[in-house]
Amino acid sequence: MDERYSRQILFPGIGESGQQLLKEKHVLIVGAGALGTGNAEMLTRAGIGKLTIVDRDYVEWSNLHRQQLYTENDARERIPKAVAAKRRLKQVNSDVSIDAQIMDVTPQELERICDGIDLIIDATDNFDIRMMMNDIAHKYKVPWIYGSCVSSYGISYTIIPGVTPCLHCLMRQVPIGGMTCDTNGIISPVVQMVTAYQSVEALKLLTKNENALRNRLVSFDLWTNQHTSINVEKLKNKDCRTCGERPTYPFLAYENQTKAAVLCGRDTVQIRPKKQGDRDWENLAFNLSKIGNVEQNPFLLSFTTDGNRLVLFRDGRVLVHGTNDVVHAKTLYNRYFG
């Protein structure tokens, strides 16, 4: 018996056969924020074979109260979350293979990285991305686990292609508005609760204990002591364009991709250019330094001028800080990077 996993192997639901299955599995985690870091750490400690972690952002001070893998130094140096998460996880369990991807999730990127994936865990704060994941999961018949939290409220649901209703069945369309971390904040315990629901469902799926799956949508409010478990089986729609009899996977279409998005929990807009790829980094930094303050690390360039801060990633994406006005953000982007 492996001493590292001995207590987990003693658990009847896993045992030695389940532990071996975990070692053979590959999980994709989309988002390396609060839910992403929690799920990644639990699966790494559990002995998963491989994790692919995808995130578009870098560590900031406001992340540290709930995003458990990160340190003050990560925030100080603005380390991309995927990179910082990988560094910490390799210290936790060096046997786990970890692929860290700094990128904005698009259908093309999901198509590229989903090959060989056994499970997808939702750890994003963006419903456009969730609907893309939903389509990809059903197109390639990969189970995925939805999770979301804000304020003291959390929700989780496990989706099995061909068996359960999909997220499109439940939502019918991408939700607009509602509570966000930016307007209502968030407390750390709700993150831990959603992560627990997601990761235990992941362990069940990865060790072939499908009979133990929850099969219900669970939601709760830790502050008001409310807990709800809903049977959503009847919501499965045979005409659903994602999981119905004639699927078209509408959220993989280019016109449904967000080109500019306000990021949850911050006055920040992301601009994703039509053409991505590396720029002449040194020349750009030199020119920008003439009109403002430039800081950079191997992954990104931060430019501040006239009270505006813009952060450019290697793939061409820019985060415009200090505004949630998309039009204004695009104006700044075009002025300095267009």
Side-chain angles (χ1 to χ4, degrees), residues 167-180:
L167 192 63
H168 199 183
C169 290
L170 271 58
M171 304 298 182
R172 297 299 174 92
Q173 60 183 3
V174 178
I176 303 296
M179 291 196 303
T180 68

Side-chain angles (χ1 to χ4, degrees), residues 85-257:
K86 178 177 180 177
R87 290 176 180 175
R88 175 59 178 153
L89 292 170
K90 293 302 287 186
Q91 293 176 330
V92 169
N93 190 342
S94 59
D95 291 336
V96 176
S97 174
I98 299 174
D99 181 16
Q101 300 270 348
I102 309 167
M103 67 180 184
D104 189 30
V105 172
T106 67
Q108 291 76 19
E109 296 292 357
L110 283 174
E111 295 263 7
R112 178 178 65 82
I113 63 179
C114 75
D115 183 45
I117 295 293
D118 297 293
L119 174 67
I120 302 171
I121 295 181
D122 165 32
T124 183
D125 56 16
N126 182 291
F127 257 98
D128 288 317
I129 296 175
R130 285 191 178 110
M131 300 306 269
M132 292 178 206
M133 280 193 291
N134 191 50
D135 274 6
I136 283 288
H138 284 80
K139 183 176 179 179
Y140 292 97
K141 304 296 186 289
V142 179
W144 74 285
I145 304 173
Y146 164 62
S148 180
C149 53
V150 64
S151 188
S152 57
Y153 175 80
I155 186 170
S156 182
Y157 176 57
T158 301
I159 299 171
I160 312 295
V163 178
T164 67
C166 76
L167 192 63
H168 199 183
C169 290
L170 271 58
M171 304 298 182
R172 297 299 174 92
Q173 60 183 3
V174 178
I176 303 296
M179 291 196 303
T180 68
C181 298
D182 201 19
T183 58
N184 292 80
I186 187 169
I187 55 174
S188 182
V190 72
V191 175
Q192 307 304 318
M193 183 68 80
V194 174
T195 300
Y197 276 116
Q198 287 185 294
S199 59
V200 74
E201 291 285 279
L203 289 175
K204 295 173 188 177
L205 283 165
L206 297 169
T207 59
K208 297 189 181 300
N209 281 285
E210 290 88 350
N211 60 322
L213 289 170
R214 188 171 56 247
N215 297 321
R216 299 172 75 90
L217 183 150
V218 63
S219 65
F220 54 86
D221 189 318
L222 293 182
W223 202 259
T224 60
N225 306 305
Q226 297 177 351
H227 189 284
T228 304
S229 180
I230 305 172
N231 185 344
V232 295
E233 182 179 348
K234 293 182 179 180
L235 295 181
K236 188 167 178 58
N237 176 16
K238 66 181 180 63
D239 296 320
C240 175
R241 291 183 293 161
T242 294
C243 72
E245 296 174 355
R246 293 178 294 278
T248 59
Y249 310 116
F251 295 94
L252 301 185
Y254 179 78
E255 59 269 19
N256 285 329
Q257 297 180 42

Side-chain angles (χ1 to χ4, degrees), residues 49-68:
K50 182 176 181 179
L51 279 181
T52 294
I53 303 172
V54 178
D55 194 274
R56 64 187 178 183
D57 208 350
Y58 59 91
V59 182
E60 293 198 287
W61 291 96
S62 63
N63 303 147
L64 299 182
H65 90 285
R66 68 193 186 282
Q67 299 183 17
Q68 64 191 52

